[in-house]
Amino acid sequence: MKLLKITLSALFLFSFSIANAQDDLMKELDSGNKEKTAASAAFKGLQICNIQSTKLPSKNEWYFLVSHRFGDLTEGINNFFGLDNAYTKLAGIYGVTDYWSIGASRHTYNKTYELASKLRLANQQIDGFPVTIALYNTMDINTALKKVENPDLMFNNRLAFTSQLLISRKISESISLEANPIYVHKNLYEPTEEKKDQFLFALGGRAKISKRISLNMDYAANMSKVSNSPNHNPLSFGMDIDTGGHIFQLVVSNSQAMNDVAYFTNGLGTWGNGGVKGIFFGFNMYRVF
């Protein structure tokens, strides 16, 4: 437990140091290379559908996020087309600098608390560096586990983590693409259904169809899935609607959970392998302050 606290403190201090160094470096680059300017953001939202985009809040910006995923649409009237079994996520995200943001959220799924950090390492430049690169890390705390039901339960058992490298490129004013190598680690897991350490590779994209609307898609392939796993690779489709004051995202996915660990590794729905089942509709609503 003591080692865990020391490790987490070191990681946050390391992220803070990198963010400050990155800020100084970008100022120097800007002053010495006036002809090279950053391309406009590849994505409007902080997420594509469910996976993170390379977009960050500006310095001192606050984002308040409300996300909702209704129950399984394929059950029809039995659960009133998902209204009976909904999950909710509430989050706050703060831009510490123009290149580093931190966030905290609470999820209905397993009564999970999620801490997050996103750090931009490089910006796509016009006639310069070809991509935007960001590092995204999360730590989950599962508070649904009960000591009475699990006598040997320790705090460390409640924790799970992701580390994600986000690499995006704005191809044109209408098209943006992103690739994400992902590492997931769970301190508590089901050995017959999953591995403690899992590696995934995700792809996402946005196609702008008007000034304020875009169609989005993201997919993650689990390279570490065990043969008898009941979980399926998450595939999501969405639409961004820019209302001026906030970004409103409509999402349809085969994974209902919205914390990254569960979204990537515990999706039970399928889009067609054995029939369409476990499909969840919902939304992400960001408000900027």
Side-chain angles (χ1 to χ4, degrees):
M1 185 62 184
K2 184 176 180 182
L3 178 60
L4 175 64
K5 291 180 178 178
I6 294 173
T7 302
L8 291 175
S9 298
L11 285 173
F12 273 95
L13 287 173
F14 182 61
S15 294
F16 181 74
S17 299
I18 291 180
N20 285 335
Q22 181 75 9
D23 199 22
D24 294 339
L25 177 59
M26 291 304 297
K27 288 178 181 177
E28 291 180 17
L29 291 175
D30 288 342
S31 62
N33 298 279
K34 294 294 184 182
E35 72 282 359
K36 291 184 179 180
T37 57
S40 57
F43 297 94
K44 278 283 189 179
L46 300 184
Q47 295 170 264
I48 301 177
C49 294
N50 280 296
I51 70 173
Q52 289 290 313
S53 75
T54 51
K55 179 179 173 63
L56 276 79
S58 299
K59 183 178 180 179
N60 294 329
E61 272 190 345
W62 279 100
Y63 275 72
F64 178 64
L65 168 63
V66 178
S67 293
H68 209 63
R69 297 292 184 272
F70 299 103
D72 186 2
L73 284 173
T74 63
E75 290 186 14
I77 197 64
N78 288 333
N79 70 346
F80 206 66
F81 299 95
L83 290 177
D84 292 343
N85 309 105
Y87 284 171
T88 300
K89 169 184 176 180
L90 298 176
I93 304 158
Y94 178 65
V96 181
T97 72
D98 287 333
Y99 310 104
W100 180 41
S101 68
I102 56 176
S105 57
R106 171 53 158 83
H107 303 251
T108 305
Y109 180 81
N110 283 338
K111 298 183 179 181
T112 300
Y113 290 89
E114 184 181 59
L115 303 178
S117 171
K118 187 188 287 188
L119 179 68
R120 184 187 297 124
L121 304 177
N123 236 341
Q124 181 179 341
Q125 302 286 332
I126 298 173
D127 299 324
F129 197 70
V131 295
T132 296
I133 303 174
L135 183 65
Y136 187 70
N137 293 287
T138 69
M139 181 181 75
D140 283 9
I141 307 171
N142 181 338
T143 65
L145 296 170
K146 302 298 182 183
K147 186 79 173 178
V148 174
E149 300 169 359
N150 305 275
D152 297 326
L153 182 70
M154 297 183 293
F155 177 77
N156 187 55
N157 300 135
R158 300 180 183 275
L159 303 181
F161 307 85
T162 73
S163 290
Q164 307 172 42
L165 186 64
L166 319 177
I167 306 169
S168 73
R169 177 168 173 79
K170 188 172 185 178
I171 307 297
S172 68
E173 284 302 313
S174 300
I175 303 295
S176 297
L177 299 175
E178 182 173 296
N180 302 353
I182 301 162
Y183 166 66
V184 177
H185 173 85
K186 298 182 180 182
N187 285 344
L188 190 65
Y189 65 105
E190 176 50 60
T192 61
E193 297 182 356
E194 58 184 352
K195 295 181 179 179
K196 187 172 188 176
D197 298 293
Q198 302 181 50
F199 297 89
L200 302 94
F201 186 78
L203 293 172
R206 177 181 81 130
K208 193 174 180 181
I209 59 175
S210 73
K211 184 178 180 180
R212 295 187 178 275
I213 296 176
S214 68
L215 299 179
N216 305 339
M217 183 276 289
D218 60 50
Y219 171 76
N222 193 332
M223 310 298 183
S224 307
K225 191 184 298 182
V226 299
S227 59
N228 61 333
S229 172
N231 303 310
H232 297 275
N233 293 334
L235 172 63
S236 302
F237 301 93
M239 174 185 289
D240 281 3
I241 304 173
D242 184 355
T243 67
H246 62 264
I247 300 297
F248 188 71
Q249 297 181 309
L250 300 175
V251 177
V252 181
S253 178
N254 64 326
S255 184
Q256 187 181 20
M258 290 167 282
N259 56 308
D260 286 59
V261 170
Y263 172 72
F264 287 128
T265 63
N266 295 113
L268 298 176
T270 174
W271 285 99
N273 184 15
V276 177
K277 58 182 179 180
I279 305 301
F280 308 95
F281 170 73
F283 62 82
N284 305 321
M285 186 174 68
Y286 288 93
R287 182 69 186 180
V288 186
F289 298 93

